Structures are given as structure tokens and as C-alpha cells.
Amino acid sequence: MPPDLLRAAVKAKGFMPADEGLALFETACEYGSRGPLCEIGSYCGKSAVYLGAAARLAGTVVVTVDHHRGSEEIQPGWEHHDPSLMDHCVGKMDSLPTFRQTIAHAGLEDEVVAVVGRSETVARLWNTPLAMLFIDGGHSEDPVRADYEGWSPHVMPGGALVFHDIYPDPADGGQAPYRVYLEALATGAYKEVRHTGSLRVLERL
């Protein structure tokens, strides 16, 4: 990964460990020559820098889909809440300004296309085959399932479906992404090709 973009990714606000971020970058480089990349759940843009760097090298773009009002675990009173992201004018979280700053400072505005809206709403309008889909939005049961069911049909044959925060042991983290990941494997439409930390890469057959 280019050193300047790696520095930007490491510096950005977010929850992506560096080893998983580099695995995401390498996976996006591998599949990106086949078509566009898509990220569901962008928060402040940390993972979008890894994906944007890969998109630049692969000659493609990454579309990031997020309503930017925050998933359940970053709302006030929850473990990962960041008060600096509150929009006090409307009384809601708003990660979009920080996301835009992250992408601008990384110099990736040509490679990263931000779509601001609910995942399930945008999925109903989407019809472009995806070379890679990265699911990292809400981590409770309904949001993860909606992201998978709404977006995975758009992964092209030979493309990649990537899940984040996959924890087989409940002591390590929430189980909803893990259950949906297992369901994806059980369809027989995917095979697992990479595993780094909590990141799982499945290839569509």
C-alpha cells in the first residue's frame, strides 16, 4: 500500500485494525480490476481509505453506502459513542463531515464515491455488478441480514463478499455478523479464500 495512504488510513478515526485493513486493501486490489467495489458502513472513512487506495491501483472506484447517523453501538450511552460526532442541531450522530475530511485529506475524492442513505433503500435502486462487496454496517441481526440480502445478489461470479467483525466465540464480540457469514457459506454459492483477524473473504462461485 502506498506509504502516504497507509499513514492516512492508520490516522483516520475508526475501528479497523491495521492488519485487517491491509488484508482488505490486498483483497480489493485482487478483485478491483474486474469492476467497482462497494462498502456498506463507512463511519469516518478509515476502511474507505484502504479501499480507495486499492481502487486507485486497480483503476476502479469504491462506492460507500452509509446514512452516517451511526449504528447502534455508537449511539449515546453505548460503548463506542464519540460525542464529537454529535450534530446538536438535530440531536443525532453525523459522521459525514469527518468522513469527507478523511477522504479529502487522503486525496481519494476521485476514487471514493459516497452515497448517503440507508443501505436497504439504496440496495433497491442498485443494479451494477460488483467485483467486491464489503459488509461492515450495523452489527445487530436485522441490519446485517438486510445488508447481506440486499447487496450480495449484486456480487458478480468470481467476485468477493467480505465480512468484518466475524467472531466465532461470543466472548470476543457480537454474533449477528458471524451467523450471516455462516449462512452465506451454507448457500454453496461462496467459498472462503482468506481469513485475517475478524475479516473473512468469500469468493462467489
Side-chain angles (χ1 to χ4, degrees), residues 8-22:
V10 171
K11 181 180 177 182
K13 186 190 297 286
F15 306 105
M16 175 71 69
D19 61 336
E20 296 178 17
L22 286 172

Side-chain angles (χ1 to χ4, degrees), residues 25 148 202:
F25 163 76
Y148 169 69
L202 311 183

Side-chain angles (χ1 to χ4, degrees), residues 29-135:
C29 285
E30 179 180 352
Y31 291 92
S33 62
R34 309 176 193 190
L37 316 171
C38 183
E39 172 185 62
I40 309 301
S42 308
Y43 190 46
C44 294
K46 190 178 190 73
S47 55
V49 175
Y50 288 107
L51 292 169
R56 175 178 292 174
L57 293 177
T60 190
V61 297
V62 53
V63 177
T64 67
V65 180
D66 198 316
H67 51 62
H68 287 282
R69 292 303 187 188
S71 54
E72 182 180 76
E73 62 269 17
I74 66 170
Q75 298 302 319
W78 288 74
E79 178 183 2
H80 297 295
H81 176 63
D82 184 342
S84 71
L85 299 178
M86 282 295 295
D87 180 348
H88 296 287
C89 292
V90 297
K92 296 180 180 180
M93 297 290 292
D94 188 1
S95 56
L96 182 58
T98 303
F99 172 87
R100 293 201 66 178
Q101 291 171 7
T102 298
I103 300 307
H105 289 162
L108 290 170
E109 290 182 302
D110 289 339
E111 291 80 14
V112 179
V113 179
V115 175
V116 181
R118 298 186 66 82
S119 166
E120 59 267 35
T121 301
V122 180
R124 289 196 295 267
L125 305 174
W126 192 265
N127 58 18
T128 301
L130 298 171
M132 176 179 151
L133 172 65
F134 177 47
I135 296 180

Side-chain angles (χ1 to χ4, degrees), residues 133 135 148 151-163 180-193 201-205:
L133 172 65
I135 296 180
Y148 169 69
W151 288 94
S152 63
H154 299 295
V155 177
M156 64 179 62
L161 171 61
V162 184
F163 288 96
V180 175
Y181 148 81
L182 290 178
E183 289 178 18
L185 280 175
T187 66
Y190 300 92
K191 64 177 180 179
E192 185 165 323
V193 294
V201 180
L202 311 183
E203 185 174 287
R204 185 168 182 180
L205 302 173

